[in-house]
Amino acid sequence: MKLLFYYLIFPGFVFSSFIGLIISWLDRKISARIQWREGPPWFQGFADIGKLLYKEVIIPKEASSLGFVLGPLFALASVCLGVTILLTGYFKLSEGFIGDIIVVWYLFTIPSIAIIYIGSLSGNPLSSVGVSREIKLLLSYELPMVILIVMITSKVRGFSIKSIMDWQIINGPNLFNWYGIIGFIVSVICIQAKLGRVPFDLPEAETELGSGILLELSGSLLALYELSKAIMLFGLPMFLVILFWGRGILGGILLYLLIVFLLILIKNTNPRLRIDQVMRYFWGWLTGASILAGILAYLGV
Amino acid sequence: MNILKKSFKKSIWVFHLSTAACNNCDIEVLELLTPRYDVERFGIKLVGSPRHADALLVCGSVNAHAKPRLIEVYRQTPKPCLVIAFGSCGCSSGIFRGSYSVVGPVDKVLKEVDPEVKIVYVPGCPPKPEAMIEGIIMGLGAI
């Protein structure tokens, strides 16, 4: 019963989707202000989701309808589970288990896999171009990010959220060391790619592929996927807060807002990259930087 | 159900479809997205796929080549959806009416497929961005 409450209400579905939709409004509003526009009203995220739930669902003739419905459901369910594990650890609601930080990271990968699945069975040529880009993008950002997670977990000698936070209470936040600063910058760029936002929005590419990988999703299926995107926009910066800051509530909130602001700023000042540029960037520069951070962490700088 | 219906009016995603237009209306649509008019205030945004659209913005006198495309895109759009016949050509085929290749304005083509289609007419050559905002708002009264 308690677990169901955690999953559905407080750190889980209702709470995190509320915060996520507010943050997605903040994203659009700040982007609009950067472009000297007025921007949408505060309930815009909720209105979009409500409108999409109201609309008809169309399933393409070639697609299997069961898979098409299950994909967004799996995405939403796994993102909610990831956020629940993350935030019950953060708010000290549960003890957690060994390896939960890895579990959370891979639960956040499931929306990408679900959308790859949907895009590839929708039978649309533009979607299949988007699918191939999404797979390459997934392979690109996983490498530096996993190196960073391994670096942090080996630094604190524990594979759980609890041990990462306890270590940072004793030794100060990871962010105040050189390896932490490098790791923070790399991981902000990685979650920008994971959220599929502008310099790395190749799978969707509105102007080029006509929203590519999401092209055949309509109505409430699109609403579920958008909702899981919004929850990820809440969950992934919280993941970084846990990795690099630990348990200070005020500092955590400030760092969270800083990460969101950086994400918005990167989105508004960069053009879309090509897929070969993205792969070279992630496997070259960012992997090199994260290995450097790992060496610095080993030397204890 | 009521709140979902209300949220529909606060978030209109527009798919822009050009059926043999002279390109002047298309330029005017781009003006609508500039900071001066900023339709995102009302939750209106352009989308790239008819599957996500709530309103089809059709400009141009429909010719024989574009007619099957228009019908196909209308069928692909999830209902309820609004059709905006944009410009003089969209409303009445304009000066091209009666030409050998023009098969009729937007409403005539779409009413053959779906007699209950909801169409908003925005006349002008080209119409101003304000006229299009007003057209969408008047059309929302119909839904």
Side-chain angles (χ1 to χ4, degrees):
Chain A
M1 203 60 211
K2 212 166 122 193
L3 290 178
L4 206 63
F5 176 78
Y6 286 161
Y7 182 62
L8 289 178
I9 315 282
F10 174 52
F13 177 66
V14 175
F15 175 74
S16 54
S17 55
F18 183 79
I19 303 276
L21 289 174
I22 291 286
I23 294 293
S24 72
W25 162 73
L26 202 66
D27 169 24
R28 286 172 71 175
K29 182 80 179 176
I30 294 176
S31 305
R33 293 309 297 161
I34 289 173
Q35 298 163 2
W36 291 67
R37 289 188 288 119
E38 196 54 42
W42 68 271
F43 52 80
Q44 192 58 54
F46 301 96
D48 284 349
I49 298 292
K51 185 255 328 212
L52 286 172
L53 287 174
Y54 177 63
K55 293 205 63 156
E56 182 192 10
V57 177
I58 295 178
I59 292 170
K61 212 197 302 175
E62 293 90 1
S64 97
S65 53
L66 184 66
F68 222 70
V69 174
L70 282 184
L73 272 178
F74 268 122
L76 185 61
S78 61
V79 164
C80 283
L81 188 58
V83 163
T84 310
I85 295 174
L86 201 66
L87 292 186
T88 48
Y90 188 70
F91 292 128
K92 266 191 186 170
L93 293 172
S94 73
E95 283 292 297
F97 50 91
I98 305 283
D100 50 4
I101 196 91
I102 307 284
V103 170
V104 168
W105 180 253
Y106 281 96
L107 282 172
F108 282 149
T109 309
I110 292 189
S112 308
I113 295 171
I115 200 68
I116 286 169
Y117 176 61
I118 292 165
S120 50
L121 64 75
S122 68
N124 190 305
L126 293 177
S127 289
S128 59
V129 175
V131 165
S132 85
R133 289 180 182 182
E134 174 80 40
I135 294 170
K136 284 168 194 154
L137 194 63
L138 186 67
L139 291 176
S140 323
Y141 65 70
E142 285 288 285
L143 182 62
M145 195 64 209
V146 169
I147 290 175
L148 282 179
I149 294 174
V150 169
M151 174 194 93
I152 299 274
T153 48
S154 57
K155 182 78 186 169
V156 307
R157 299 191 184 283
F159 256 107
S160 65
I161 294 170
K162 187 171 181 296
S163 62
I164 290 174
M165 295 206 296
D166 288 347
W167 189 86
Q168 290 183 108
I169 287 174
I170 300 165
N171 297 321
N174 278 323
L175 191 61
F176 292 161
N177 299 313
W178 280 110
Y179 70 87
I181 293 170
I182 297 174
F184 181 72
I185 294 167
V186 171
S187 55
V188 165
I189 297 171
C190 285
I191 65 171
Q192 180 86 357
K194 193 168 182 60
L195 290 165
R197 289 153 65 82
V198 158
F200 312 109
D201 68 335
L202 311 112
E204 291 176 29
E206 288 252 320
T207 44
E208 183 189 353
L209 298 179
S211 63
I213 197 162
L214 304 175
L215 205 147
E216 295 286 347
L217 277 183
S218 59
S220 48
L221 300 179
L222 185 63
L224 292 181
Y225 186 71
E226 292 283 324
L227 203 57
S228 62
K229 261 287 188 47
I231 295 175
M232 287 235 288
L233 189 59
F234 174 52
L236 283 170
M238 281 312 286
F239 188 80
L240 293 197
V241 168
I242 286 174
L243 281 188
F244 292 103
W245 189 265
R247 181 173 283 140
I249 293 293
L250 184 66
I253 292 171
L254 286 179
L255 187 66
Y256 174 78
L257 290 177
L258 174 74
I259 295 169
V260 170
F261 186 69
L262 282 178
L263 293 179
I264 296 169
L265 213 59
I266 295 173
K267 176 184 155 192
N268 278 293
T269 47
N270 285 285
R272 182 166 60 240
L273 300 170
R274 287 198 316 269
I275 189 68
D276 58 325
Q277 289 169 330
V278 169
M279 293 192 83
R280 205 175 304 131
Y281 186 59
F282 275 102
W283 284 1
W285 288 105
L286 291 189
T287 307
S290 56
I291 289 172
L292 178 69
I295 293 170
L296 288 180
Y298 179 72
L299 296 174
V301 181
Chain B
M1 219 56 203
N2 203 16
I3 193 161
L4 296 185
K5 222 173 193 172
K6 257 184 192 155
S7 66
F8 188 86
K9 299 191 176 183
K10 292 290 176 192
S11 138
I12 294 288
W13 292 0
V14 179
F15 181 72
H16 175 206
L17 181 68
S18 175
T19 52
C22 70
N23 222 9
N24 210 344
C25 292
D26 306 305
I27 295 170
E28 210 64 26
V29 171
L30 294 182
E31 294 246 302
L32 195 65
L33 304 171
T34 52
R36 187 180 174 89
Y37 297 104
D38 183 30
V39 282
E40 209 183 2
R41 286 179 291 164
F42 311 117
I44 301 172
K45 83 175 183 185
L46 272 189
V47 291
S49 157
R51 292 264 193 251
H52 307 170
D54 309 304
L56 285 180
L57 181 70
V58 188
C59 34
S61 57
V62 186
N63 63 10
H65 189 70
K67 185 184 172 186
R69 275 89 179 162
L70 173 60
I71 292 171
E72 190 59 39
V73 169
Y74 179 72
R75 281 196 176 133
Q76 284 174 358
T77 310
K79 311 290 174 302
C81 91
L82 193 67
V83 177
I84 304 161
F86 195 62
S88 301
C89 298
C91 295
S92 66
S93 292
I95 57 168
F96 302 105
R97 190 175 192 121
S99 166
Y100 70 97
S101 63
V102 170
V103 292
V106 174
D107 54 353
K108 187 179 149 203
V109 172
L110 287 182
K111 274 183 180 153
E112 286 170 17
V113 191
D114 180 6
E116 292 178 355
V117 56
K118 294 185 180 68
I119 302 184
V120 179
Y121 301 91
V122 183
C125 187
K128 282 190 157 191
E130 294 97 328
M132 188 197 142
I133 297 174
E134 196 194 356
I136 290 185
I137 288 165
M138 283 170 76
L140 289 176
I143 294 182

PDB file of all heavy atoms in Angstrom, chain A residues 214-230:
ATOM      1  N   LEU A 214       8.241  10.522 -33.836  1.00  0.00           N
ATOM      2  CA  LEU A 214       6.914  10.596 -33.222  1.00  0.00           C
ATOM      3  C   LEU A 214       5.821  10.761 -34.265  1.00  0.00           C
ATOM      4  O   LEU A 214       4.674  10.971 -33.906  1.00  0.00           O
ATOM      5  CB  LEU A 214       6.834  11.806 -32.284  1.00  0.00           C
ATOM      6  CG  LEU A 214       7.856  11.915 -31.189  1.00  0.00           C
ATOM      7  CD1 LEU A 214       7.674  13.218 -30.461  1.00  0.00           C
ATOM      8  CD2 LEU A 214       7.671  10.790 -30.229  1.00  0.00           C
ATOM      9  N   LEU A 215       6.179  10.671 -35.538  1.00  0.00           N
ATOM     10  CA  LEU A 215       5.282  11.140 -36.585  1.00  0.00           C
ATOM     11  C   LEU A 215       3.929  10.461 -36.567  1.00  0.00           C
ATOM     12  O   LEU A 215       2.903  11.095 -36.770  1.00  0.00           O
ATOM     13  CB  LEU A 215       5.974  10.929 -37.933  1.00  0.00           C
ATOM     14  CG  LEU A 215       5.549  11.822 -39.072  1.00  0.00           C
ATOM     15  CD1 LEU A 215       6.732  12.069 -39.942  1.00  0.00           C
ATOM     16  CD2 LEU A 215       4.481  11.189 -39.874  1.00  0.00           C
ATOM     17  N   GLU A 216       3.888   9.153 -36.301  1.00  0.00           N
ATOM     18  CA  GLU A 216       2.615   8.452 -36.393  1.00  0.00           C
ATOM     19  C   GLU A 216       1.865   8.391 -35.070  1.00  0.00           C
ATOM     20  O   GLU A 216       0.768   7.880 -35.010  1.00  0.00           O
ATOM     21  CB  GLU A 216       2.847   7.024 -36.895  1.00  0.00           C
ATOM     22  CG  GLU A 216       3.390   6.946 -38.299  1.00  0.00           C
ATOM     23  CD  GLU A 216       2.351   7.269 -39.349  1.00  0.00           C
ATOM     24  OE1 GLU A 216       1.162   7.307 -39.014  1.00  0.00           O
ATOM     25  OE2 GLU A 216       2.730   7.511 -40.503  1.00  0.00           O
ATOM     26  N   LEU A 217       2.470   8.904 -33.999  1.00  0.00           N
ATOM     27  CA  LEU A 217       1.761   8.871 -32.717  1.00  0.00           C
ATOM     28  C   LEU A 217       0.701   9.954 -32.705  1.00  0.00           C
ATOM     29  O   LEU A 217       0.945  11.082 -33.115  1.00  0.00           O
ATOM     30  CB  LEU A 217       2.731   9.142 -31.568  1.00  0.00           C
ATOM     31  CG  LEU A 217       3.543   7.988 -31.057  1.00  0.00           C
ATOM     32  CD1 LEU A 217       4.367   8.462 -29.891  1.00  0.00           C
ATOM     33  CD2 LEU A 217       2.647   6.889 -30.604  1.00  0.00           C
ATOM     34  N   SER A 218      -0.495   9.631 -32.218  1.00  0.00           N
ATOM     35  CA  SER A 218      -1.523  10.658 -32.179  1.00  0.00           C
ATOM     36  C   SER A 218      -2.346  10.497 -30.911  1.00  0.00           C
ATOM     37  O   SER A 218      -2.328   9.466 -30.263  1.00  0.00           O
ATOM     38  CB  SER A 218      -2.420  10.560 -33.401  1.00  0.00           C
ATOM     39  OG  SER A 218      -3.012   9.305 -33.424  1.00  0.00           O
ATOM     40  N   GLY A 219      -3.056  11.558 -30.568  1.00  0.00           N
ATOM     41  CA  GLY A 219      -4.009  11.516 -29.463  1.00  0.00           C
ATOM     42  C   GLY A 219      -3.375  11.143 -28.141  1.00  0.00           C
ATOM     43  O   GLY A 219      -2.321  11.651 -27.778  1.00  0.00           O
ATOM     44  N   SER A 220      -4.028  10.210 -27.417  1.00  0.00           N
ATOM     45  CA  SER A 220      -3.600   9.951 -26.044  1.00  0.00           C
ATOM     46  C   SER A 220      -2.255   9.237 -26.005  1.00  0.00           C
ATOM     47  O   SER A 220      -1.542   9.345 -25.006  1.00  0.00           O
ATOM     48  CB  SER A 220      -4.650   9.138 -25.313  1.00  0.00           C
ATOM     49  OG  SER A 220      -5.030   8.058 -26.083  1.00  0.00           O
ATOM     50  N   LEU A 221      -1.877   8.527 -27.091  1.00  0.00           N
ATOM     51  CA  LEU A 221      -0.552   7.890 -27.089  1.00  0.00           C
ATOM     52  C   LEU A 221       0.532   8.953 -27.061  1.00  0.00           C
ATOM     53  O   LEU A 221       1.512   8.857 -26.317  1.00  0.00           O
ATOM     54  CB  LEU A 221      -0.388   7.014 -28.326  1.00  0.00           C
ATOM     55  CG  LEU A 221      -1.387   5.885 -28.466  1.00  0.00           C
ATOM     56  CD1 LEU A 221      -1.133   5.118 -29.729  1.00  0.00           C
ATOM     57  CD2 LEU A 221      -1.295   4.971 -27.275  1.00  0.00           C
ATOM     58  N   LEU A 222       0.329  10.009 -27.860  1.00  0.00           N
ATOM     59  CA  LEU A 222       1.290  11.115 -27.842  1.00  0.00           C
ATOM     60  C   LEU A 222       1.276  11.798 -26.480  1.00  0.00           C
ATOM     61  O   LEU A 222       2.322  12.208 -25.971  1.00  0.00           O
ATOM     62  CB  LEU A 222       0.942  12.111 -28.949  1.00  0.00           C
ATOM     63  CG  LEU A 222       1.914  13.252 -29.134  1.00  0.00           C
ATOM     64  CD1 LEU A 222       3.256  12.736 -29.547  1.00  0.00           C
ATOM     65  CD2 LEU A 222       1.418  14.228 -30.166  1.00  0.00           C
ATOM     66  N   ALA A 223       0.085  11.890 -25.870  1.00  0.00           N
ATOM     67  CA  ALA A 223      -0.004  12.516 -24.548  1.00  0.00           C
ATOM     68  C   ALA A 223       0.825  11.744 -23.532  1.00  0.00           C
ATOM     69  O   ALA A 223       1.554  12.336 -22.739  1.00  0.00           O
ATOM     70  CB  ALA A 223      -1.453  12.587 -24.090  1.00  0.00           C
ATOM     71  N   LEU A 224       0.728  10.395 -23.574  1.00  0.00           N
ATOM     72  CA  LEU A 224       1.508   9.586 -22.626  1.00  0.00           C
ATOM     73  C   LEU A 224       2.999   9.812 -22.843  1.00  0.00           C
ATOM     74  O   LEU A 224       3.764   9.949 -21.889  1.00  0.00           O
ATOM     75  CB  LEU A 224       1.192   8.098 -22.799  1.00  0.00           C
ATOM     76  CG  LEU A 224      -0.192   7.645 -22.394  1.00  0.00           C
ATOM     77  CD1 LEU A 224      -0.311   6.158 -22.600  1.00  0.00           C
ATOM     78  CD2 LEU A 224      -0.448   7.983 -20.954  1.00  0.00           C
ATOM     79  N   TYR A 225       3.407   9.864 -24.117  1.00  0.00           N
ATOM     80  CA  TYR A 225       4.829  10.051 -24.378  1.00  0.00           C
ATOM     81  C   TYR A 225       5.298  11.437 -23.945  1.00  0.00           C
ATOM     82  O   TYR A 225       6.359  11.585 -23.342  1.00  0.00           O
ATOM     83  CB  TYR A 225       5.140   9.806 -25.860  1.00  0.00           C
ATOM     84  CG  TYR A 225       6.608   9.851 -26.115  1.00  0.00           C
ATOM     85  CD1 TYR A 225       7.415   8.833 -25.651  1.00  0.00           C
ATOM     86  CD2 TYR A 225       7.184  10.920 -26.745  1.00  0.00           C
ATOM     87  CE1 TYR A 225       8.773   8.878 -25.833  1.00  0.00           C
ATOM     88  CE2 TYR A 225       8.544  10.977 -26.936  1.00  0.00           C
ATOM     89  CZ  TYR A 225       9.327   9.949 -26.469  1.00  0.00           C
ATOM     90  OH  TYR A 225      10.675  10.019 -26.630  1.00  0.00           O
ATOM     91  N   GLU A 226       4.476  12.464 -24.218  1.00  0.00           N
ATOM     92  CA  GLU A 226       4.848  13.824 -23.805  1.00  0.00           C
ATOM     93  C   GLU A 226       4.945  13.915 -22.284  1.00  0.00           C
ATOM     94  O   GLU A 226       5.826  14.587 -21.742  1.00  0.00           O
ATOM     95  CB  GLU A 226       3.799  14.831 -24.294  1.00  0.00           C
ATOM     96  CG  GLU A 226       3.757  15.005 -25.786  1.00  0.00           C
ATOM     97  CD  GLU A 226       4.901  15.864 -26.296  1.00  0.00           C
ATOM     98  OE1 GLU A 226       5.270  16.814 -25.596  1.00  0.00           O
ATOM     99  OE2 GLU A 226       5.414  15.570 -27.383  1.00  0.00           O
ATOM    100  N   LEU A 227       4.019  13.207 -21.606  1.00  0.00           N
ATOM    101  CA  LEU A 227       4.036  13.210 -20.146  1.00  0.00           C
ATOM    102  C   LEU A 227       5.312  12.560 -19.630  1.00  0.00           C
ATOM    103  O   LEU A 227       5.944  13.071 -18.695  1.00  0.00           O
ATOM    104  CB  LEU A 227       2.803  12.464 -19.636  1.00  0.00           C
ATOM    105  CG  LEU A 227       2.339  12.790 -18.240  1.00  0.00           C
ATOM    106  CD1 LEU A 227       2.068  14.264 -18.125  1.00  0.00           C
ATOM    107  CD2 LEU A 227       1.088  12.019 -17.917  1.00  0.00           C
ATOM    108  N   SER A 228       5.719  11.460 -20.275  1.00  0.00           N
ATOM    109  CA  SER A 228       6.942  10.815 -19.788  1.00  0.00           C
ATOM    110  C   SER A 228       8.155  11.696 -20.086  1.00  0.00           C
ATOM    111  O   SER A 228       9.104  11.715 -19.299  1.00  0.00           O
ATOM    112  CB  SER A 228       7.106   9.423 -20.375  1.00  0.00           C
ATOM    113  OG  SER A 228       7.217   9.481 -21.750  1.00  0.00           O
ATOM    114  N   LYS A 229       8.109  12.454 -21.199  1.00  0.00           N
ATOM    115  CA  LYS A 229       9.170  13.426 -21.475  1.00  0.00           C
ATOM    116  C   LYS A 229       9.225  14.486 -20.373  1.00  0.00           C
ATOM    117  O   LYS A 229      10.304  14.850 -19.890  1.00  0.00           O
ATOM    118  CB  LYS A 229       8.878  14.130 -22.795  1.00  0.00           C
ATOM    119  CG  LYS A 229       9.585  13.645 -24.028  1.00  0.00           C
ATOM    120  CD  LYS A 229      11.010  14.004 -24.060  1.00  0.00           C
ATOM    121  CE  LYS A 229      11.762  13.724 -25.314  1.00  0.00           C
ATOM    122  NZ  LYS A 229      11.178  14.117 -26.536  1.00  0.00           N
ATOM    123  N   ALA A 230       8.037  14.974 -19.957  1.00  0.00           N
ATOM    124  CA  ALA A 230       7.995  16.008 -18.919  1.00  0.00           C
ATOM    125  C   ALA A 230       8.531  15.467 -17.605  1.00  0.00           C
ATOM    126  O   ALA A 230       9.272  16.156 -16.893  1.00  0.00           O
ATOM    127  CB  ALA A 230       6.575  16.512 -18.745  1.00  0.00           C
TER     128      ALA A 230
END
